[in-house]
């Protein structure tokens, strides 16, 4: 179970304090699929970054399966992220000079997995997301939907149990976006927690529940 207790995030810009999150409380049970919605600037990405240990809350507690993540050192938080978190971005964020396999291998390199095992794990996951024919292709030679599949493969390859996706369908047409959501539903059906940010009600309605943010608070 994942718990956020009274999470506040303050960005300091000179003398101005910007309260991006104001006392957020969330409980996420294993196997949940959450859609986060809200206007631009409401704090969605800030929330996702804290959940993904890319950023720290200013105040409050983040507890993951009983571990007090908010109290971790930077090093411990990095290791925790590598083990438990997979990130998917709106613009895919693939390296264009790397093949799909090399892109998917990136988090495995960070985890010091030897080459043979890296290749095997990457290829297996690329086949699973429907990219078996493109393992040695480059991202510029495949469609946006395929690039997002590859980004999802990269998020899954380490066996992460929390998949965070910031507008994963924002750069895709609606049919391709639906295919990406179907893929994420499959991931969720395997018991992984999936949290997506979306502006699309049709997509949010397919999640198990929706969290709505306004001005840094849950409404
Ligand atoms: N690194 C930062 N430094 C200062 N302020 C920031 C920073 N990141 C975000 N903010 C501010 O925090 C607030 C929340 O931003 P956030 O990016 O979480 O919004 P969002 O809901 O993801 O918006 P969008 O839908 O446009 O992506 C905004 O007012 C934003 O300007
Ligand atoms: Mg955002």
């Amino acid at each position: 179970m994942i718990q956020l207790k009274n999470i506040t995030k303050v960005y300091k810009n000179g003398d101005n304090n910007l309260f991006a999150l104001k006392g957020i409380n969330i409980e996420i049970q294993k196997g949940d699929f959450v859609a986060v919605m809200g206007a631009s600037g409401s704090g969605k990405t800030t929330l996702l970054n804290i959940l993904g240990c890319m950023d720290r809350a200013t105040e409050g507690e983040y507890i993951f399966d009983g571990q007090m993540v908010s109290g971790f050192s930077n090093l411990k938080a990095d290791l925790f992220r590598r083990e438990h978190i997979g990130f998917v971005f709106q613009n895919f964020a693939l390296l264009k000079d790397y093949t799909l396999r090399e892109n998917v291998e990136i988090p495995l390199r960070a985890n010091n997995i030897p080459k043979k095992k890296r290749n095997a794990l990457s290829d297996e996951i690329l086949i699973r997301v429907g990219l078996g024919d493109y393992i040695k292709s480059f991202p510029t030679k495949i469609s946006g939907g395929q690039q997002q599949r590859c980004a999802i493969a990269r998020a899954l390859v380490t066996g992460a149990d929390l998949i965070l996706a910031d507008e994963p369908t924002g750069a895709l047409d609606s049919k391709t976006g639906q295919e990406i959501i179907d893929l994420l539903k499959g991931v969720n059906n395997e018991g992984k927690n999936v949290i997506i940010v979306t502006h699309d009600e049709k997509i949010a309605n397919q999640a198990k529940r929706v969290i709505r943010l306004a001005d840094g608070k849950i409404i």
Side-chain angles (χ1 to χ4, degrees):
M1 184 170 67
I2 298 166
Q3 290 169 289
L4 295 182
K5 293 186 180 172
N6 211 14
I7 291 286
T8 296
K9 177 68 184 180
V10 184
Y11 290 113
K12 291 193 195 312
N13 290 324
D15 291 341
N16 289 327
N17 285 340
L18 192 143
F19 286 76
L21 296 175
K22 303 170 181 170
I24 298 287
N25 292 291
I26 301 177
E27 260 188 39
I28 297 164
Q29 305 290 342
K30 188 171 158 48
D32 209 345
F33 190 149
V34 180
V36 179
M37 297 195 82
S40 182
S42 58
K44 305 179 298 295
T45 296
T46 304
L47 177 64
L48 226 59
N49 285 344
I50 289 171
L51 282 164
C53 290
M54 309 276 274
D55 201 355
R56 277 176 188 281
T58 309
E59 263 180 62
E61 293 180 345
Y62 174 11
I63 303 162
F64 190 113
D65 289 343
Q67 300 183 76
M68 185 65 75
V69 175
S70 43
F72 283 176
S73 66
N74 286 344
L75 178 64
K76 206 165 172 210
D78 278 349
L79 293 172
F80 177 85
R81 185 179 64 240
R82 286 188 209 160
E83 189 181 346
H84 292 283
I85 314 280
F87 250 101
V88 179
F89 301 94
Q90 176 172 358
N91 60 0
F92 328 130
L94 299 173
L95 298 180
K96 70 174 175 24
D97 297 330
Y98 282 39
T99 63
L100 300 198
R101 175 199 271 164
E102 287 164 349
N103 268 284
V104 172
E105 278 184 352
I106 292 169
L108 298 174
R109 278 176 188 271
N111 287 354
N112 295 316
I113 309 287
K115 184 174 182 336
K116 245 194 172 153
K117 182 144 190 236
R118 275 197 328 252
N119 288 174
L121 286 169
S122 300
D123 293 0
E124 185 190 319
I125 200 90
L126 280 165
I127 290 165
R128 224 190 82 202
V129 302
L131 291 173
D133 291 340
Y134 299 92
I135 285 168
K136 291 184 177 166
S137 301
F138 289 90
T140 48
K141 304 287 181 191
I142 59 174
S143 71
Q146 288 170 329
Q147 289 180 57
Q148 193 58 304
R149 285 176 184 277
C150 181
I152 291 171
R154 183 180 56 188
L156 292 173
V157 73
T158 57
D161 34 25
L162 174 58
I163 305 301
L164 302 170
D166 201 349
E167 298 193 50
T169 64
L172 303 172
D173 64 73
S174 61
K175 179 170 172 283
T176 311
Q178 184 57 48
E179 288 166 11
I180 292 301
I181 294 304
D182 290 340
L183 178 58
L184 290 171
K185 281 186 197 166
V187 167
N188 175 244
N189 283 336
E190 288 165 17
K192 292 181 192 293
N193 288 313
V194 177
I195 304 180
I196 61 168
V197 168
T198 182
H199 283 108
D200 185 336
E201 291 283 350
K202 270 200 210 116
I203 285 173
N205 286 339
Q206 299 177 63
K208 289 178 176 163
R209 65 199 176 98
V210 181
I211 290 174
R212 288 176 202 275
L213 288 179
D215 195 20
K217 290 186 198 143
I218 293 178
I219 51 169

